[in-house]
Amino acid sequence: MRIFFLLIFLLNCFVNTVNAQSETIPDAKIDKLVKQAWEDFKYSNFEKSLITSRVALNYATASKNNDLIAKSYKIIAGNYNELSEFDKAIFFYNKSLYYAYKADNDSLKHNLYNNLGNVYCFEKKQFDKGINYYKKSIAYGLKINNVSHVYFTNLNIAWAYFDIGKFKEGYPYLKFIENNIEKYGDQSTEIVVNMLTGMYANYRNENDAANAYFLSAIKAGENGEEQSDLSYAHLEYSKFLTKIKKYKEAYEHLTAYNQITEELYNQEKLKKASIAGFNLELDEYKRQIDKIENEKISQYQSLKKSRIIVILFILVSLILLVLIITLIKNIRFKKQHNLELLKAKEIAEEASLLKTQFISTISHELRTPLYGVVGITNMLLEEHKELSHSKHLSSLKFSARYLLSLVNDILQINKIEENKVILENLTFNISDEITMIKNSLSFLSQKNNNKISVYIDADIPEYLIGDKLRLAQILMNLVSNALKFTKDGEVEIKVDLCKIEGKNYFLDFLIKDNGVGIASVDQGKIFEKFVQVGRKDEDYQGTGLGLSIVKRLLGLFGSTITLESDIGQGTSFSFMIPFEYDPQKTKKIIDEIEVDLTSNEVYKILIVEDNLINQLVTKKIIEKNNYVCKVVDDGFAALDIIEKESFDLILMDINMPLMNGFETTKRIRLKQIKTPIVALTAFDKDEITDEAISSGINDIIVKPFEPLKLFKIINYLIQEAENAG
C-alpha cells in the first residue's frame, strides 16, 4: 500500500508539472493552423504540413477541443498516405475517427470513412474492407443531407471497381455520377469522371468514345490544379493506346505520367517530411503517457495531504533519482546499440550491392550462350524440315525455352520475392504441354528405370489461356524431382477439371511417385531456398531451388501446394490453378502470333557483335526476313564501315572488347550519323537503360528474343527515321 500511494503522489507531481508547462491558445488560432496545414497538404508540401499539423495537434490537445484534434489527426493521416506509409495513415485516420465520434462531427466521419476506403481499396488491396468503409461514408453523407459528398464517394467506389477490372459492378456508381455531374460535379472531379467514362468505354471496346473521354480528362487536368488525377489520366490513356496498338503515343503518355509523379513526390521533400513525421510520433507517445497519467491522477484527487505524504514524496524522489540514473544508462546503451545496428546495416548494404553485381555478371554470361542454343535450335528446325517432327529436337527446343525461363527467374529471384514477375496470357493445349514435359524428361526416367503415366480429364477444353511457361516450370520441377527420388517405379501426372466459374476452368494437378518419400519432420522446410532433404551427393543433384520456385510461382497464380508423403511410401504434390477458356480470345491470340515476318522493303542492317555464334544466329534471323546484312567484330570496325557504306539500322552489342557498344554509339553520333541503333544485349534492360539513352541508342532488346519483337522494333525505327528525314 505504501508503494501504491507513493506512485500516486509521484504521478500527481508529474502531471502538475506538465500542466504548468502546457500552453493554451484560443481555438480560433488553432483552427487557423489546421487550415494552413491543410493548404500545405493540398499543394504536396508534406514537410510543412506535418510540422504545422503537429503544432495544431499539441495546442488542440491542451485545449481539449475534440473537433480540432480530429481534424489535425486527419491531416497527419493524409500526409502519411501520400508518403506511402499506409499503416501509419490507417492508424492516424482511426485516431481522428475516435475524436470525430467524441465531437459528434458527422461530416468529418463521412470524410474519414471515405479516406479509409481509399487506402484499403487502392493501396492495401483489401477490396471488401474498403467498400465497407465507402458504404459507411455514404450513410453519413445522407445523414447530413450532403449529396455532393455522396457523389464524391460514389466516384471513389466506381474507380475502385474499375481498378480491379469489375466494370459491371462499378457501372451503377458511374451511372449515378453521370446523372448528377451537372449538379454536383466540379473541376476537381472532372478529370476522374472523364477518365472513368473512358475506361468503361474501353471495356466495351467503344474505342472512339474512349479516346474522346481520355483526351477530355487530360485537357481538364492541364487546365486545372489536380496534378495527381492528371497523372492517372495519362496512365489509363497509355494503357488504352497500347491496347489499340498505338505504341508511340502510349509511350509518350506513360512518360508524362512518370514526369508528373516525379514532380509530386520529390525525394528531398520525402526526406525532410520523414524527420517531421518522426518528431510527430514522439509527440504521440508523449500524449499517450500524459493521458495515462491524467487518468490515474483523476482517481485520487480526493487524497488528503498529510505528514505521511511528505515522507512518501521523499521516497518517491529517491526512486525517481534511481530511475533517472537507470534511464541515462539505457540511453547510453541504446546509442551504442544503434551504432552497432548502423554498422550492420552498412555491411548488409555492401553485401546486397555485391549480390546485385554478381547477378548482373552471371545474367550476361548465361544469356549469351543461351541465345546461341535457342537460335541454333530454331535454325535446325527451319533448315532441316525433315527434323520438324523429331521428338528429340522438339524436346531440345522446349528445354531451351524452359531453361531460359528458369535462368531468368533464378537470376532475378529478388524480383520474384518482390512480386515483380507478371504472368502472361498465352493460348496452349494442356495435353501437348505435358507430353512435351514427358519427352524432355525421358532421359531422366530411363536413367532410373521409371515409367511416366499421364491422365488428363477429357472434359478439359482443347485450348486454354494462361501462362504456360510458368506452368511448365512448375511441372518440370515437380516431375524431375519425382524421377530423381524414384527408382524402378512410376511417376503419375494427373490433371482433373475440378470446377467451372464463368470463363475460368479450375484444373487440379497431381504429381505422384512411389519413391523414397519425405519424413514428416522434413516436410516443413523443403520449400525453403537451397534446402535438400535426405540427399546423398552420389545419388541426387540439383540446386535446392526447385520447390522454392514452385511455391513462389504458385503464389503468383493465387494457389498453394499440398504435400502428402512418408518414408518408403512415395510422395504426392497437388495444387489447383484456374485457366481461362475463351474461344474468341484464343483465336485472337493465335492470329497475333501467326504474323508474317517477311517484308516488302529490303533494308540494309549492320550487326556489331564479337561472339561468332551470336553473329551466325543474328545474321540468319535478319536474312530470313529478306534483309541485307553485314557483320563486324568490334566498335572500331563499325566506325570504319559506316564511313564507307550507309545502313538503315545498326544492331549493337554492348559488351565488346576494345570499345563497348555505348562508346561506339557515342562516336557514331559525334559523326552526325542519325541511323537508328538498337542495343542487342544480354544485360538486363533496367541496368543499362539510362546509359543507353545518354549514348544515343534508340531502343534495347535483350537476348534471347522473339524475332517478331525484333522486326517490329526495326520496322518502327526505320519508318520513324524516314519520316523525320
Side-chain angles (χ1 to χ4, degrees):
M1 284 298 293
R2 291 181 180 180
I3 294 174
F4 179 74
F5 283 109
L6 172 64
L7 291 175
I8 291 172
F9 186 76
L10 167 62
L11 293 174
N12 187 43
C13 295
F14 177 76
V15 170
N16 287 338
T17 303
V18 171
N19 289 338
Q21 292 176 349
S22 298
E23 181 182 359
T24 303
I25 65 171
D27 288 348
K29 185 175 180 181
I30 303 173
D31 186 64
K32 187 176 180 181
L33 286 170
V34 170
K35 290 177 179 177
Q36 180 61 49
W38 177 247
E39 286 297 314
D40 292 332
F41 168 77
K42 287 198 297 184
Y43 288 97
S44 300
N45 193 342
F46 304 128
E47 174 198 7
K48 191 174 179 182
S49 178
L50 275 171
I51 293 172
T52 306
S53 56
R54 177 165 60 92
V55 174
L57 181 59
N58 288 335
Y59 286 138
T61 302
S63 180
K64 297 182 180 179
N65 188 317
N66 292 327
D67 189 71
L68 292 174
I69 292 172
K71 290 177 179 178
S72 299
Y73 274 127
K74 176 177 175 286
I75 297 171
I76 293 166
N79 277 281
Y80 274 118
N81 188 27
E82 291 300 316
L83 294 173
S84 300
E85 297 273 1
F86 303 119
D87 290 331
K88 291 182 181 178
I90 291 171
F91 172 79
F92 286 109
Y93 274 137
N94 284 322
K95 293 284 291 184
S96 178
L97 202 56
Y98 171 79
Y99 285 98
Y101 273 100
K102 292 186 74 173
D104 199 24
N105 187 332
D106 290 336
S107 178
L108 193 55
K109 294 175 195 174
H110 162 79
N111 288 328
L112 289 167
Y113 279 125
N114 180 76
N115 292 350
L116 282 166
N118 289 339
V119 176
Y120 278 103
C121 280
F122 295 107
E123 309 299 347
K124 302 292 284 184
K125 303 302 180 185
Q126 297 179 20
F127 182 77
D128 292 337
K129 196 168 185 177
I131 292 296
N132 245 354
Y133 281 120
Y134 279 142
K135 289 180 179 177
K136 288 183 179 180
S137 176
I138 290 175
Y140 277 105
L142 294 173
K143 182 179 179 181
I144 61 177
N145 198 26
N146 192 330
V147 184
S148 64
H149 283 186
V150 175
Y151 171 87
F152 190 81
T153 304
N154 273 272
L155 185 74
N156 286 335
I157 296 177
W159 196 348
Y161 275 118
F162 285 9
D163 195 51
I164 61 171
K166 292 188 175 181
F167 291 94
K168 290 183 180 179
E169 291 86 344
Y171 179 70
Y173 298 94
L174 178 62
K175 195 68 178 174
F176 175 87
I177 296 163
E178 291 175 343
N179 292 338
N180 293 276
I181 189 170
E182 292 184 3
K183 190 172 182 181
Y184 301 107
D186 57 20
Q187 188 180 19
S188 66
T189 60
E190 184 179 0
I191 307 170
V192 178
V193 172
N194 277 296
M195 181 187 75
L196 293 178
T197 310
M199 291 170 69
Y200 186 74
N202 178 28
Y203 160 72
R204 292 176 58 85
N205 294 318
E206 298 171 358
N207 293 341
D208 291 339
N211 191 71
Y213 281 118
F214 282 127
L215 289 175
S216 297
I218 292 171
K219 183 178 179 181
E222 291 172 345
N223 294 333
E225 298 178 355
E226 296 293 332
Q227 292 298 298
S228 178
D229 291 342
L230 175 59
S231 72
Y232 288 121
H234 278 295
L235 179 62
E236 294 299 333
Y237 191 33
S238 174
K239 294 178 182 177
F240 166 73
L241 290 170
T242 301
K243 174 188 171 184
I244 63 174
K245 300 183 179 180
K246 292 187 177 181
Y247 300 113
K248 183 180 178 182
E249 294 177 31
Y251 178 77
E252 291 171 353
H253 284 277
L254 185 61
T255 302
Y257 164 76
N258 290 330
Q259 288 175 347
I260 294 171
T261 305
E262 185 175 353
E263 290 171 5
L264 287 175
Y265 301 101
N266 182 278
Q267 291 299 317
E268 190 63 27
K269 287 182 180 178
L270 298 183
K271 290 179 182 177
K272 292 180 180 178
S274 65
I275 296 172
F278 177 72
N279 292 332
L280 178 67
E281 291 181 28
L282 290 179
D283 287 346
E284 180 61 25
Y285 296 147
K286 180 178 178 298
R287 273 189 293 277
Q288 293 291 335
I289 294 172
D290 290 346
K291 180 181 177 182
I292 294 171
E293 301 298 337
N294 284 326
E295 289 175 353
K296 289 182 179 179
I297 290 169
S298 63
Q299 297 174 11
Y300 301 100
Q301 290 177 348
S302 60
L303 289 178
K304 296 181 181 180
K305 296 180 182 179
S306 63
R307 293 174 70 189
I308 298 176
I309 294 177
V310 175
I311 296 171
L312 292 176
F313 172 72
I314 296 172
L315 293 175
V316 168
S317 299
L318 293 174
I319 294 173
L320 273 176
L321 182 61
V322 173
L323 290 174
I324 290 170
I325 294 171
T326 304
L327 181 62
I328 292 172
K329 288 182 178 180
N330 287 338
I331 290 172
R332 289 177 179 174
F333 173 77
K334 285 183 179 180
K335 284 183 177 179
Q336 183 179 356
H337 184 60
N338 287 339
L339 289 173
E340 293 174 357
L341 289 176
L342 184 61
K343 185 176 180 181
K345 180 174 177 273
E346 291 173 353
I347 294 172
E349 288 174 348
E350 183 179 354
S352 177
L353 178 61
L354 290 173
K355 174 189 173 185
T356 301
Q357 292 172 346
F358 171 76
I359 288 176
S360 175
T361 302
I362 292 298
S363 173
H364 180 271
E365 294 302 319
L366 286 176
R367 282 188 180 129
T368 297
L370 269 177
Y371 177 55
V373 172
V374 174
I376 291 173
T377 303
N378 288 331
M379 285 165 54
L380 287 171
L381 287 170
E382 291 169 4
E383 295 178 3
H384 299 276
K385 300 298 183 183
E386 70 276 9
L387 298 176
S388 61
H389 298 293
S390 169
K391 291 183 179 180
H392 300 296
L393 200 54
S394 297
S395 295
L396 174 61
K397 184 178 179 180
F398 176 83
S399 296
R401 289 169 54 212
Y402 160 72
L403 179 60
L404 174 61
S405 175
L406 179 60
V407 166
N408 286 337
D409 282 344
I410 293 175
L411 294 178
Q412 300 180 39
I413 192 72
N414 56 327
K415 289 187 178 181
I416 298 177
E417 291 172 349
E418 295 172 6
N419 295 323
K420 292 183 179 179
V421 175
I422 300 174
L423 297 178
E424 298 179 349
N425 282 327
L426 304 170
T427 185
F428 68 97
N429 179 285
I430 190 69
S431 178
D432 290 346
E433 293 299 317
I434 292 179
T435 300
M436 195 71 72
I437 291 169
K438 178 181 176 182
N439 291 338
S440 64
L441 294 176
S442 60
F443 71 95
L444 188 55
S445 63
Q446 292 169 7
K447 178 184 175 183
N448 288 342
N449 193 29
N450 290 322
K451 176 185 175 184
I452 301 177
S453 61
V454 177
Y455 168 78
I456 299 176
D457 194 333
D459 293 332
I460 298 175
E462 182 179 4
Y463 289 104
L464 297 170
I465 299 173
D467 196 325
K468 64 178 183 179
L469 291 179
R470 305 293 177 189
L471 173 62
Q473 191 173 340
I474 292 168
L475 293 175
M476 284 282 284
N477 273 306
L478 293 175
V479 176
S480 62
N481 260 12
L483 290 170
K484 282 191 293 185
F485 290 92
T486 302
K487 290 185 178 180
D488 302 319
E490 181 179 4
V491 174
E492 180 183 357
I493 305 173
K494 188 178 180 183
V495 188
D496 286 306
L497 177 59
C498 182
K499 60 180 178 178
I500 303 173
E501 293 182 0
K503 293 183 179 180
N504 288 327
Y505 280 57
F506 288 77
L507 304 189
D508 198 353
F509 294 84
L510 173 67
I511 312 300
K512 185 177 181 181
D513 65 66
N514 52 7
V516 296
I518 304 170
S520 57
V521 294
D522 294 326
Q523 292 178 13
K525 57 188 178 184
I526 63 170
F527 294 102
E528 298 174 9
K529 291 186 293 185
F530 306 110
V531 170
Q532 294 172 313
V533 175
R535 169 179 173 171
K536 296 180 180 179
D537 290 339
E538 65 273 16
D539 290 337
Y540 313 118
Q541 296 180 353
T543 62
L545 280 172
L547 291 179
S548 175
I549 291 175
V550 165
K551 182 179 179 181
R552 294 170 192 275
L553 289 177
L554 283 173
L556 297 178
F557 283 104
S559 178
T560 57
I561 190 164
T562 301
L563 164 65
E564 292 183 7
S565 182
D566 205 350
I567 294 294
Q569 301 300 316
T571 303
S572 65
F573 290 96
S574 60
F575 56 90
M576 183 187 297
I577 297 180
F579 292 104
E580 186 178 358
Y581 174 61
D582 187 337
Q584 293 181 347
K585 190 173 180 180
T586 298
K587 184 178 182 303
K588 184 178 178 182
I589 293 172
I590 293 174
D591 290 342
E592 289 177 353
I593 293 172
E594 295 176 352
V595 176
D596 185 7
L597 296 181
T598 60
S599 172
N600 295 326
E601 298 288 337
V602 178
Y603 295 128
K604 191 175 180 181
I605 309 296
L606 174 63
I607 299 173
V608 186
E609 169 70 68
D610 66 303
N611 186 290
L612 295 178
I613 295 176
N614 290 352
Q615 286 179 3
L616 174 64
V617 173
T618 306
K619 185 177 180 183
K620 280 286 185 182
I621 292 172
I622 296 298
E623 290 179 343
K624 182 177 178 291
N625 206 49
N626 298 326
Y627 291 171
V628 176
C629 179
K630 286 204 172 182
V631 180
V632 294
D633 295 327
D634 56 56
F636 289 107
L639 293 172
D640 288 339
I641 198 170
I642 62 174
E643 292 283 354
K644 303 170 185 175
E645 302 180 40
S646 62
F647 295 90
D648 293 299
L649 185 133
I650 301 171
L651 296 176
M652 181 74 66
D653 187 26
I654 297 301
N655 191 27
M656 296 186 295
L658 303 180
M659 181 165 55
N660 65 32
F662 297 130
E663 184 61 31
T664 304
T665 303
K666 288 178 183 177
R667 296 196 184 189
I668 291 173
R669 295 308 185 212
L670 287 174
K671 294 176 180 290
Q672 303 304 315
I673 296 174
K674 297 183 179 180
T675 303
I677 299 176
V678 176
L680 201 59
T681 178
F683 283 110
D684 188 79
K685 188 173 182 178
D686 293 338
E687 296 177 14
I688 65 170
T689 297
D690 292 340
E691 191 170 359
I693 292 172
S694 64
S695 66
I697 289 173
N698 299 88
D699 210 331
I700 302 167
I701 187 165
V702 178
K703 298 182 289 192
F705 55 83
E706 291 294 332
L708 175 62
K709 182 178 180 181
L710 174 64
F711 289 123
K712 280 185 178 179
I713 292 174
I714 289 176
N715 291 334
Y716 171 76
L717 290 176
I718 292 176
Q719 290 173 12
E720 189 180 56
E722 290 175 350
N723 294 335

